[in-house]
């Protein structure tokens, strides 16, 4: 018998509900999230320290061509001190609900972010 009470939540947004389930995965050695959504990837990276499983992976692509990325390894790569600024950066440079800044790609915005991330760390 599987205890489904851990899946009960009042979160309606799929991505935030996904984070909630990952954070509740106390007894699991590995968690794999399958998505094509960059918002979900960023949320996983931003909240990786709150996910108790030592192995957190994201699977992207199609069934025929899929790739796995280690979320814990990705979360160690942002520039030092920039972790709290990742979500504001994503909100400003384009997510599912916002468009990107005109004439600035995510790649060019990331170059500036690497040096000036402290300006975004207090946004919330």
């Amino acid at each position: 018998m599987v205890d489904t009470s851990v899946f009960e939540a009042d979160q309606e947004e799929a991505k935030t509900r996904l984070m909630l389930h990952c954070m509740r995965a106390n007894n699991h050695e590995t968690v794999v999230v399958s998505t094509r959504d960059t918002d979900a990837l960023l949320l996983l990276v931003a909240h990786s320290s709150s996910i108790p499983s030592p192995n957190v992976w994201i699977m992207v692509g199609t069934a025929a061509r899929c790739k796995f990325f280690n979320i814990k390894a990705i979360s160690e790569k942002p520039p030092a001190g920039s972790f709290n600024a990742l979500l504001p950066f994503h909100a400003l440079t384009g997510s599912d609900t916002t468009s990107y800044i005109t004439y600035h790609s995510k790649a060019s915005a990331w170059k500036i972010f690497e040096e000036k991330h402290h300006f975004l760390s207090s946004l919330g």
Side-chain angles (χ1 to χ4, degrees), residues 13-89:
E13 172 63 39
K15 288 175 283 256
T16 56
R17 190 177 183 117
L18 178 69
M19 293 307 108
L20 182 64
H21 292 313
C22 289
M23 290 176 192
R24 290 181 177 174
N26 294 328
N27 299 325
H28 301 283
E29 182 73 22
T30 302
V31 171
V32 178
V33 175
S34 175
T35 184
R36 293 183 183 181
D37 195 330
T38 57
D39 290 353
L41 169 64
L42 194 68
L43 285 169
L44 283 167
V45 171
H47 296 292
S48 65
S49 63
S50 299
I51 301 172
S53 299
N55 302 300
V56 181
W57 295 83
I58 189 167
M59 183 181 83
V60 297
T62 64
R65 291 185 53 180
C66 67
K67 291 184 179 182
F68 292 85
F69 296 95
N70 184 325
I71 295 298
K72 300 279 185 173
I74 292 170
S75 69
E76 295 171 358
K77 290 188 179 190
S82 69
F83 213 70
N84 292 335
L86 281 176
L87 292 177
F89 170 78

